[in-house]
Amino acid sequence: MTDANNLIAEYRNTGTLGSLPMGHFIDGAFSEPVHNRTMESFDPGTGVPFARFTAGTKEDVDQAVASSRLAFEADWRDMAPVERSRILQRAAALILENLDLLAVVETLDSGKALQEAMGDVRGAARTFEYYAGACDKLQGDSFPLGPDYIGYTIHEPVGVTAHIIPWNFPISTAARGFAPALAAGCTVVAKPAEQTPYTALILADLLHKAGLPAGVCNVVTGTGPETGAPLTNHPGVDHITFTGSVQTGRAVMKAAAEDITRVVLELGGKSPVVVLGDCDKEQALAGVLGAIYENAGQICSAGSRLVVEKSIHDEFVDELVARTRALNLGHGLANPDVGPVNSSEHLAKIAGFLDRARSRGAEIVTGGSVTEDPATGQGWFFEPTIVNSVAADDELAQEEIFGPVLAVQVADDADHALALANDCQYGLVAGIYTSNFAKAHQLARKIDAGQIYINEYFAGGIEVPFGGNKKSGFGREKGLEGLASYCKTKSIAARIG
Ligand code: NAI
Ligand code: MG
């Protein structure tokens, strides 16, 4: 397998990578689209396009869904679970064998730092490993109906599942959906984001190299309206897993309503990190920095609000500002602390939030502007930014910015911190930093969020269910609960007496 340094050298010399896939991945192979239309994929670290990929249409989606339906009925649904498990185990190994390729491609396409991309690829392999182990443990129940009856449940795969994938965690989100769907016996049609099409295509190819029968995992690339919408509207799709914006999630839910298609929505967040006066300051500082600057803040579960107790507010924010100013920006391949944001449109959106804040007289204590890669003068960068003393009803405390922008909210005490934490339309995650065990768990129970991190932001792994409350969506991915979305329970009761 080609190592990262060779790939980086190839990219520096040619401006592209020869090993990028072309076309859709349908029926077990890369395939020509019905209409020969392509679009550019950009390197956010330079702002320059590095490849063209297929802009799919409804006709391509129709082919992919038909292929998935056939594979579901002919091959996958009824394969012995242990065989499905072995294929997914091999897939995990193949992902790791291709770690460097996947990570370099992910960095070029999304902009994220190479070491973060490597972490994402390892996480994707771990996701397949985890669900490989679940294939043969989808046990039902039996029910005590007395001597004259037998009652039991079986968990059947829901069928053809659609996966709409965003650009911030392309391979992670693909793996998080594909692995449990496949483990349950479902087939997959995925539409990666048009900003980051490549790793989903490579992943589908690797899954088939691991032994998936043709058609079990199809990937169609293109825009949301032209490729995503035909997929989520498709009557041949039995379930949709959508990760992205609230606005598009709403459209997907409406489309799903037409045919009563099942849906899991992982939408935005505006997650609070509650830092109480009695916390371990060092632990909390590191946690808050990682929570907002990892992936340049483009994480649905980013800790984008710091809710800090007044007693430590001044010194804590001063230290945070000092550490923020010390972060280095750069191209993802150079492994910076903070990389670019994903697109020029997205950069403009982030800048808009800060321009409005400035005109309201907000206290921007560091950052606040568009910038560039200091090494090249190129790319779509936003300065790591902290805005102090943000009011609870300010848009900086309510709206998802999805960039390296931290809004600081000052709390009088733990009760006030709880009120601030919950005063938001979103409810995805929350962090809590305190050395008081009881207080931590009291807050954990009362904060309205799908997951709570105590004394380590982003703690947990594939074992732990993940999903949102309120406008952050519903349904849970990851963990054994993540399998449930891809299963339908059938109860069988029989009279034998
Ligand atoms: P988006 O929600 O429009 O895009 C996510 C995915 O949905 C992409 O694959 C896109 O092609 C697809 N899509 C778009 N329109 C569709 C439609 N009508 N039917 C089916 N699929 C469709 O998000 P976008 O525009 O990329 O980002 C906007 C904002 O959304 C960001 O600024 C951020 O706040 C939020 N976002 C949240 C994410 C999360 O992880 N929860 C991920 C990406 C974006
Ligand atoms: Mg790109």
Side-chain angles (χ1 to χ4, degrees), residues 164-167 191 193-194 224 228 245 248 267 300 346 349 400:
I164 304 287
I165 300 166
W167 43 262
K191 207 297 281 177
E194 52 271 46
S245 64
T248 304
L267 308 177
C300 52
H346 188 54
K349 185 182 149 192
E400 182 174 59

Side-chain angles (χ1 to χ4, degrees), residues 164-187:
I164 304 287
I165 300 166
W167 43 262
N168 57 332
F169 282 90
I171 192 165
S172 313
T173 311
R176 182 172 92 182
F178 297 4
L182 296 172
C186 296
T187 54

Side-chain angles (χ1 to χ4, degrees), residues 118-135:
M118 295 247 174
D120 292 356
V121 176
R122 287 195 189 93
R126 170 72 189 123
T127 298
F128 279 92
E129 183 185 56
Y130 177 81
Y131 286 109
C135 296

Side-chain angles (χ1 to χ4, degrees), residues 112-453:
K112 67 176 65 197
L114 186 59
Q115 63 209 355
E116 289 185 28
M118 295 247 174
D120 292 356
V121 176
R122 287 195 189 93
R126 170 72 189 123
T127 298
F128 279 92
E129 183 185 56
Y130 177 81
Y131 286 109
C135 296
D136 52 0
K137 296 167 192 76
L138 281 167
Q139 297 161 178
D141 283 320
S142 67
F143 306 102
L145 299 175
D148 293 340
Y149 296 89
I150 296 176
Y152 63 99
T153 54
I154 53 178
H155 298 299
E156 298 179 321
V158 303
V160 175
T161 62
H163 301 252
I164 304 287
I165 300 166
W167 43 262
N168 57 332
F169 282 90
I171 192 165
S172 313
T173 311
R176 182 172 92 182
F178 297 4
L182 296 172
C186 296
T187 54
V188 165
V189 181
K191 207 297 281 177
E194 52 271 46
Q195 296 84 357
T196 55
Y198 288 113
T199 50
L201 288 167
I202 299 173
L203 179 62
D205 185 36
L206 291 176
L207 290 172
H208 286 80
K209 289 186 167 128
L212 279 192
V216 172
C217 180
N218 297 304
V219 174
V220 181
T221 60
T223 67
E226 286 183 303
T227 321
L231 179 57
T232 53
N233 291 327
H234 204 293
V237 165
D238 300 305
H239 166 99
I240 303 164
T241 294
F242 174 81
T243 307
S245 64
V246 174
Q247 193 189 351
T248 304
R250 193 176 284 127
V252 167
M253 197 168 163
K254 283 184 182 155
E258 197 55 42
D259 291 305
I260 320 293
T261 304
R262 293 156 172 258
V263 57
V264 166
L265 299 176
E266 298 282 8
L267 308 177
K270 190 76 196 180
S271 298
V273 190
V274 174
V275 174
L276 298 182
D278 62 6
C279 71
D280 175 329
K281 307 290 178 317
E282 202 43 52
Q283 199 176 43
L285 283 163
V288 170
L289 283 170
I292 189 58
Y293 298 133
E294 200 174 295
N295 205 30
Q298 304 164 111
I299 309 185
C300 52
S301 52
S304 51
R305 292 190 288 146
L306 165 63
V307 179
V308 58
E309 203 169 345
K310 196 157 59 184
S311 59
I312 58 162
H313 166 267
D314 292 355
E315 57 163 321
F316 195 84
V317 171
D318 284 350
E319 184 57 28
L320 215 50
V321 167
R323 294 190 192 195
T324 295
R325 289 191 177 136
L327 296 171
N328 76 303
L329 271 59
H331 193 284
L333 292 177
N335 260 329
D337 296 322
V338 183
V341 302
N342 181 255
S343 65
S344 56
E345 294 80 6
H346 188 54
L347 183 62
K349 185 182 149 192
I350 298 170
F353 276 103
L354 270 294
D355 290 346
R356 290 191 295 279
R358 209 173 275 113
S359 67
R360 287 194 300 276
E363 193 187 329
I364 301 169
V365 284
T366 192
S369 300
V370 169
T371 184
E372 57 204 17
D373 181 348
T376 62
Q378 291 180 305
W380 298 320
F381 290 82
F382 200 82
E383 294 171 345
T385 299
I386 298 176
V387 187
N388 200 7
S389 302
V390 174
D393 61 355
D394 192 286
E395 71 167 347
L396 294 182
Q398 292 294 334
E399 300 295 330
E400 182 174 59
I401 301 173
F402 223 60
V405 179
L406 180 68
V408 180
Q409 299 180 270
V410 191
D412 296 331
D413 53 25
D415 285 341
H416 187 210
L418 171 66
L420 289 172
N422 281 342
D423 182 6
C424 186
Q425 59 181 328
Y426 294 108
L428 190 52
V429 318
I432 300 170
Y433 284 85
T434 172
S435 55
N436 184 323
F437 184 81
K439 219 193 272 179
H441 288 279
Q442 282 160 4
L443 276 174
R445 287 189 180 182
K446 289 182 186 152
I447 293 178
D448 191 358
Q451 43 278 304
I452 308 285
Y453 305 127

